[in-house]
Amino acid sequence: MNRYPVWKYIVILVVVLLGALYTAPNYFGESPALQITSGKSTVKITSAVASEVEAVLKRENIPNEGVTLDEGASHSVRARFASPDDQFRARLALEKGLNADPADPTYIVTVNLMPNTPQWMQNVRALPMYLGLDLRGGVHFLMQVDTKAALNKRVQGYQAAIRSELRDKNVRHAGIERSGDSIIVKFRDDATRQAARKALADMSDLQLADSADGADLKLVASMKPAALKDTLDNGVKQNISTLSKRVNELGVAEPIIQQQGPDRIVVQLPGVQDVARAKSIIGRTATLEVRLVDETVTPGTELSAAIPFNSELFTVGKAVPVVLSKDVILTGDYIASATATFDENQQPAVSLDLNGDGGRKMREATRGNVGKRMAIVLFEKGKPEVLSVATIQEELGSRFRITGMGSIENSTELALLLRAGALYAPMDFLEERTIGPQLGAENISKGLHSTMYGFAAIAVFMIMYYMMFGFFSVLALAVNLLLLLALLSLMQITLTLPGIAAIALALGMAIDANVLINERIREELRAGASPQASIAAGFDRAWATILDSNVTTLIVGLALLVFGSGAVRGFAVVHCLGILTSMFSAVFVSRGVVNLWYGRKKKLQTLSIGTVWVPGQSK
């Protein structure tokens, strides 16, 4: 009567084994390690760098437990060591051995930790869950984007674009000026004003209005509300994109960079303790410039030739040495978008889109320089690096391509640099704090102990009150905890203190379903039903109540996830996953264990489910 088919037991067994597999990496701990990342935008981390790291460690007789190349988001080389002493010795050796100039390092060596997870587990993506700032220690920054500067930058761009558009359409005006966030164009007659309105009709982000001031006729252009909102949102998103790239230089494998509110950005760097260095990298400035190559200098003689007065020599980057004109054609501010693509020969290239004023500048600069070379230069920390040198094939406008990238990786990297080489708008540090690793370890210990003590208290109560059925409930609760930890590890969700609180809450909510089932079985026994019938009816009739209570709680969790931020979202994620695993374990696993224990007993007379009081007797 109460028997599970074999396939259901197979499903339970497979789920439990997978849960154990993906939970196991959290118990292997971490080893001291070093993370080597690129210190320059034009230097890539490759297998050759890993070989060089191995050579330096071997030359200095520093034992290590392996050097690996991480081609993921961090693009780094990692070296593992047996002790912190070897770790710090290796750091000094690598900083000296990899960088010719310590003041301008090519590679950044950062102290870090690596999980001790066996390689075969890593191959099936069985990895330990990420620990948040409050559990691992690190630095926390809260920054506010200067939205006025972002808006000012956009309005300046529209002002230049309007001037360029009217010039191209040969529409004469009596002056263009800015008043607040609006652009005012003056005219001497209404016919010219209407011609200007028609010429600017393609600028869909602007709303145009006629105005007059005495004899002067005006056309007032202002940004539409939707365009204004997009400008602010894009400014914050571009800053987040730029910060993500910069944080990689700190060697942080699991940074948290997210928007908080309309104009604030939270940056959390677990494991980083040097606040000054983190601030210097996060808040640094980077600019892009497009310049012409000085053709008066013979190629190959740049290092020995006399450099013309209005030119300068560049020796860092690709296709160097090269002599470039000091006159800047345009800067990265004029680049609207950059995308990695392919040219007509299916070779990697970068497609660029410029804004209106940028297109005009590019046309003027390239019209008389077809066949000459043009370079793109990135300035970081006041030091230039040449990203690309290409030949101008034809007059360029608002859209053109940079060819000769060599590989898809190069074109993708250049497109990223062109899109996010500089912050869209300045930012102010509103808050900064450091959490030491000792405090993080203490938080982990307290969170673990609170969860285990809670689990033990629940187990003692359930077994004492419900006897064997209490043991079944505790077993299902253990499976629930196992599956929840496995999901957190598999999905690589960052665990924080609120997440630990959600795990503890999930345990309490999960046992509630088993209490409903056990009490329902007791009610059936009181009503005179047989033990086997009571088991079947107890699970079947309790299911509707369990489903209703969990669905309503899940709705609240999803609301926290959608509308919350920061710690609230972290709590909501673990809370929602805990609800799903508890429904599986409390009903499916629990009934499977009960059926396995009692289902084959045809002449079952009693159930070990505690004292069941019926009129005049107990069972």
Side-chain angles (χ1 to χ4, degrees):
M1 181 178 181
N2 290 306
R3 295 185 181 181
Y4 258 0
V6 176
W7 69 268
K8 288 191 177 181
Y9 284 111
I10 293 176
V11 169
I12 294 175
L13 181 62
V14 170
V15 170
V16 171
L17 290 177
L18 288 176
L21 171 64
Y22 285 97
T23 302
N26 296 289
Y27 300 98
F28 285 100
E30 296 176 313
S31 294
L34 293 177
Q35 183 164 327
I36 298 92
T37 54
S38 174
K40 297 179 180 294
S41 301
T42 53
V43 176
K44 296 187 66 177
I45 299 296
T46 63
S47 57
V49 179
S51 301
E52 190 175 354
V53 169
E54 290 179 335
V56 171
L57 296 177
K58 185 177 181 181
R59 185 170 63 246
E60 298 294 332
N61 293 321
I62 300 176
N64 66 86
E65 297 185 350
V67 177
T68 58
L69 174 64
D70 181 8
E71 296 181 329
S74 59
H75 294 289
S76 61
V77 172
R78 299 191 184 190
R80 187 197 304 267
F81 302 91
S83 67
D85 291 339
D86 292 337
Q87 178 191 36
F88 285 102
R89 284 177 54 211
R91 180 184 182 181
L92 295 175
L94 290 173
E95 286 179 341
K96 182 179 179 181
L98 296 178
N99 299 311
D101 182 7
D104 184 24
T106 304
Y107 300 99
I108 296 175
V109 184
T110 309
V111 176
N112 214 320
L113 294 171
M114 283 185 67
N116 294 327
T117 309
Q119 187 60 45
W120 69 270
M121 284 189 174
Q122 297 183 34
N123 293 339
V124 295
R125 288 194 56 78
L127 304 170
M129 68 182 76
Y130 290 153
L131 297 181
L133 197 68
D134 47 6
L135 298 181
R136 192 178 183 187
V139 295
H140 166 96
F141 296 115
L142 175 62
M143 296 174 289
Q144 185 169 31
V145 179
D146 188 347
T147 54
K148 290 184 178 180
L151 181 59
N152 179 64
K153 183 177 181 180
R154 187 64 180 269
V155 173
Q156 286 179 344
Y158 278 125
Q159 185 176 357
I162 289 174
R163 180 178 286 107
S164 174
E165 192 69 21
L166 294 179
R167 183 188 300 112
D168 291 344
K169 297 294 179 61
N170 198 26
V171 177
R172 297 183 177 274
H173 56 83
I176 299 177
E177 61 184 29
R178 178 179 171 183
S179 176
D181 296 333
S182 300
I183 302 168
I184 300 176
V185 187
K186 298 180 180 179
F187 300 93
R188 294 185 175 86
D189 58 83
D190 185 63
T192 307
R193 181 169 63 176
Q194 296 307 317
R197 176 186 283 273
K198 184 177 180 181
L200 302 177
D202 292 337
M203 296 186 179
S204 57
D205 290 341
L206 296 178
Q207 53 187 9
L208 306 175
D210 294 337
S211 177
D213 183 10
D216 291 334
L217 300 179
K218 299 179 179 180
L219 184 63
V220 180
S222 57
M223 295 178 62
K224 295 180 180 178
L228 183 62
K229 183 178 183 300
D230 289 342
T231 297
L232 301 181
D233 290 344
N234 291 335
V236 175
K237 290 178 181 178
Q238 182 169 325
N239 275 15
I240 290 176
S241 175
T242 304
L243 288 174
S244 300
K245 176 179 173 294
R246 294 179 180 181
V247 163
N248 285 336
E249 293 191 12
L250 291 168
V252 182
E254 308 93 30
I256 297 175
I257 304 173
Q258 60 188 12
Q259 184 173 349
Q260 187 178 86
D263 60 351
R264 293 185 177 185
I265 299 175
V266 172
V267 178
Q268 294 184 355
L269 309 176
V272 174
Q273 300 299 316
D274 192 342
V275 180
R277 181 168 176 243
K279 284 184 69 174
S280 66
I281 290 181
I282 289 176
R284 78 187 186 194
T285 58
T287 57
L288 289 160
E289 293 182 358
V290 178
R291 302 189 186 189
L292 287 173
V293 175
D294 191 333
E295 301 291 343
T296 62
V297 179
T298 304
T301 65
E302 289 89 354
L303 295 177
S304 58
I307 306 300
F309 175 75
N310 198 39
S311 300
E312 55 184 319
L313 175 66
F314 290 82
T315 58
V316 178
K318 301 174 182 177
V320 295
V322 63
V323 177
L324 303 181
S325 171
K326 291 183 179 180
D327 296 329
V328 178
I329 298 176
L330 53 83
T331 64
D333 296 339
Y334 296 98
I335 298 176
S337 67
T339 309
T341 182
F342 296 91
D343 60 15
E344 59 275 2
N345 298 319
Q346 296 304 306
Q347 296 300 311
V350 175
S351 177
L352 294 179
D353 287 329
L354 305 177
N355 59 25
D357 201 40
R360 179 183 61 80
K361 288 177 176 289
M362 184 61 73
R363 283 192 295 271
E364 293 176 353
T366 58
R367 185 176 297 130
N369 292 295
V370 175
K372 296 182 179 179
R373 291 180 297 161
M374 183 175 65
I376 297 176
V377 185
L378 175 69
F379 286 84
E380 274 187 304
K381 303 176 185 177
K383 298 178 180 179
E385 296 182 34
V386 178
L387 299 180
S388 172
V389 177
T391 301
I392 302 173
Q393 302 291 343
E394 59 184 354
E395 178 184 327
L396 304 177
S398 298
R399 178 174 295 180
F400 62 95
R401 284 186 310 206
I402 301 175
T403 58
M405 290 291 97
S407 66
I408 298 176
E409 290 78 11
N410 290 340
S411 62
T412 302
E413 182 182 9
L414 179 57
L416 174 63
L417 288 170
L418 294 175
R419 288 196 306 268
L423 293 173
Y424 185 84
M427 295 185 298
D428 297 321
F429 287 87
L430 299 182
E431 177 186 344
E432 60 182 73
R433 65 176 184 264
T434 303
I435 299 177
Q438 187 61 38
L439 179 59
E442 184 178 344
N443 288 337
I444 292 177
S445 177
K446 289 182 177 180
L448 178 62
H449 288 160
S450 63
T451 302
M452 297 311 297
Y453 291 155
F455 184 91
I458 291 174
V460 170
F461 171 79
M462 292 296 292
I463 293 175
M464 289 180 62
Y465 195 75
Y466 292 110
M467 302 177 71
M468 184 58 72
F469 271 77
F471 174 76
F472 297 152
S473 300
V474 172
L475 184 61
L477 188 64
V479 171
N480 173 51
L481 183 60
L482 179 72
L483 297 181
L484 179 55
L485 294 178
L487 282 177
L488 293 175
S489 301
L490 180 62
M491 299 172 67
Q492 291 291 275
I493 294 172
T494 301
L495 183 66
T496 60
L497 273 178
I500 293 180
I503 292 176
L505 178 62
L507 294 179
M509 295 181 60
I511 205 64
D512 181 63
N514 290 104
V515 171
L516 288 173
I517 293 171
N518 293 342
E519 287 298 328
R520 189 66 192 181
I521 293 175
R522 281 181 162 189
E523 289 180 7
E524 296 297 327
L525 290 173
R526 293 190 192 103
S530 66
Q532 292 288 10
S534 297
I535 292 174
F539 277 98
D540 292 340
R541 294 176 182 177
W543 167 244
T545 304
I546 294 172
L547 182 62
D548 289 345
S549 63
N550 281 278
V551 167
T552 52
T553 310
L554 184 62
I555 292 173
V556 175
L558 291 175
L560 292 175
L561 183 62
V562 173
F563 299 106
S565 63
V568 175
R569 287 177 61 89
F571 176 89
V573 169
V574 181
H575 177 66
C576 292
L577 291 176
I579 291 173
L580 298 178
T581 56
S582 68
M583 291 178 65
F584 174 81
S585 61
V587 179
F588 194 69
V589 175
S590 180
R591 186 165 188 175
V593 176
V594 171
N595 288 351
L596 186 64
W597 187 264
Y598 287 112
R600 298 183 181 276
K601 297 180 180 181
K602 296 181 180 180
K603 297 182 179 181
L604 183 63
Q605 299 297 323
T606 60
L607 295 178
S608 180
I609 196 171
T611 303
V612 182
W613 296 99
V614 296
Q617 63 176 354
S618 65
K619 288 188 179 181

